[in-house]
Amino acid sequence: RSSPSVKDAVSAVECWIAPAFGGLKANKLTAPRILAWRDAMLRAGLAPNSVRARYAMLRAAVAHAQMDGLLDRQWAEVPRGAFPKGTRPGFDAELETMSLKELRAVLFPVATAGITTQRLLLYTLLGAAGLREGEAFDLTFDRIDRRWAPLWQLTISSTWSRRNKRSQKPKTKRVRKVPLHPLLARRLDEWQIAGWALAFGRAPTGQDLILPRVNAKGEHARLDDTRVRARWHRDLVQLELTERR
């Protein structure tokens, strides 16, 4: 089996570098074309550091081509700072961060928005508990600790990695206890008592995922982050809110 880093490199070439520059003549490798490629990746939702990594791969490929005598012209370098670390062109922290009013609009949506109970619970986990997507996808019912008062606790001990197709330690590598806001506690309780069974045809066990999907084999699987984000963007449009990652 290939390592994750090798798989990532192959995926980057097949999905982003070859489609954009494969078969391109050297005199067509211009700075505007490279910057347009950068913007396309950012619009697709790639993290800034992922975009920088793909640009570094492109630079390395060009350098090797020059050393091998396959490319005899100076290629078009983009301006320094065109691939800033950790930011996106036009990034505005105030626009990227939800206001309390906007968060309330998501957590208490109007009926016409058509947000399902399952998606609303996911948004509540992300917004009221501050979970990362992979952490929410990997949650099981036995992670809910109702022994604590006045607030229940949620144990975050793993995250789902779509790249590695397995559960793994959280990004911080530490287990943490998250107190549950009463709104989130109530929605989790209602979902476990009635909502989950209505959605999946049986009562859940402690080992069942809180927010599963049914795959092509009819088995429960983790949610797919690409589909979740696409649905999230459509829900923001329905709520007349600014689109965010």
Side-chain angles (χ1 to χ4, degrees), residues 3 57 71 128 143 160 180 192 222:
S3 68
M57 292 175 65
L71 187 63
R143 305 278 187 85
W160 177 251
L180 295 184
Q192 184 172 9
R222 271 74 174 178

Side-chain angles (χ1 to χ4, degrees), residues 44-222:
L46 268 68
N49 288 344
S50 296
V51 174
R52 284 168 56 88
R54 282 151 180 75
Y55 176 56
M57 292 175 65
L58 175 64
R59 285 171 54 92
V62 170
H64 281 293
Q66 290 174 327
M67 287 188 293
D68 294 340
L70 302 175
L71 187 63
D72 57 4
R73 68 179 291 273
Q74 184 67 31
W75 78 300
E77 291 271 7
V78 299
R80 181 179 294 275
F83 286 80
K85 184 176 181 179
T87 60
R88 300 191 299 279
F91 176 84
D92 187 321
E94 291 187 3
L95 293 178
E96 291 287 326
T97 305
M98 275 193 164
S99 67
L100 181 58
K101 181 178 179 180
E102 290 173 316
L103 181 59
R104 284 173 176 161
V106 172
L107 299 185
F108 302 96
V110 295
T112 54
I115 298 177
T116 65
T117 302
Q118 190 170 3
R119 293 207 307 279
L120 182 58
L121 179 56
L122 172 61
Y123 299 160
T124 311
L125 280 166
L126 301 178
L131 302 190
R132 299 177 176 89
E133 284 181 344
E135 294 171 343
F137 297 169
D138 212 42
L139 276 178
T140 52
F141 283 105
D142 57 10
R143 305 278 187 85
I144 304 171
D145 190 344
R146 294 175 168 84
R147 296 172 300 171
W148 296 87
L151 299 178
W152 295 349
Q153 287 189 352
L154 200 60
T155 302
I156 308 302
S157 58
S158 66
T159 186
W160 177 251
S161 170
R162 181 167 64 94
R163 182 183 66 183
N164 297 331
K165 295 182 173 57
R166 63 180 176 84
S167 296
Q168 59 187 38
K169 291 182 179 180
K171 187 175 182 179
T172 59
K173 309 299 183 186
R174 299 175 62 185
V175 175
R176 69 183 192 276
K177 302 285 187 178
V178 178
L180 295 184
H181 187 280
L183 171 67
L184 176 54
R186 185 175 71 249
R187 288 181 175 174
L188 279 170
D189 207 33
E190 292 171 349
W191 178 247
Q192 184 172 9
I193 292 171
W196 200 97
L198 287 174
F200 302 107
R202 64 171 175 82
T205 67
Q207 288 72 45
D208 278 313
L209 294 169
I210 293 177
L211 295 170
R213 65 179 174 88
V214 179
N215 62 20
K217 297 180 180 179
E219 301 169 340
H220 286 181
R222 271 74 174 178

